[in-house]
Amino acid sequence: GILFGGIMDIFDYLRKIAHELGGVPEERIRPESTTKELNLDMFDREEMVLDVEAKYDIFLNDPKFDTLDDLAKLVDVA
């Protein structure tokens, strides 16, 4: 996680993606926001995982997450 500036940097990136995919205003997106609250379906979730894998050059094997914070933590330890 240290390499990329930590969990908040990852969350900021995820917030941008969630906003683009689900249309929820960025200022309303919190780490504890669930994908359901953000209007993200299974395809949006997959897109989010692919985007974050590409950005951070990692591979997440079938990640399980309900909130943006869950996903940020998976990215942070990958």
Side-chain angles (χ1 to χ4, degrees):
I2 293 167
L3 190 61
F4 303 119
I7 202 105
M8 284 315 292
D9 284 357
I10 299 166
F11 171 71
D12 286 340
Y13 181 68
L14 292 176
R15 175 191 282 168
K16 285 187 184 72
I17 302 171
H19 165 69
E20 287 167 16
L21 293 172
V24 173
E26 282 191 45
E27 61 274 8
R28 288 195 23 231
I29 301 175
R30 305 268 174 264
E32 63 277 6
S33 297
T34 65
T35 52
K36 189 175 178 71
E37 290 167 348
L38 298 173
N39 305 321
L40 304 177
D41 65 19
M42 60 187 262
F43 300 107
D44 295 327
R45 287 168 58 105
E46 181 67 21
E47 171 122 355
M48 185 175 266
V49 169
L50 292 172
D51 283 356
V52 86
E53 285 178 332
K55 177 170 175 64
Y56 293 109
D57 193 26
I58 57 173
F59 175 70
L60 301 173
N61 186 19
D62 192 26
K64 303 286 184 238
F65 62 97
D66 290 315
T67 68
L68 292 189
D69 191 52
D70 292 343
L71 181 55
K73 286 179 179 147
L74 291 173
V75 171
D76 193 47
V77 298

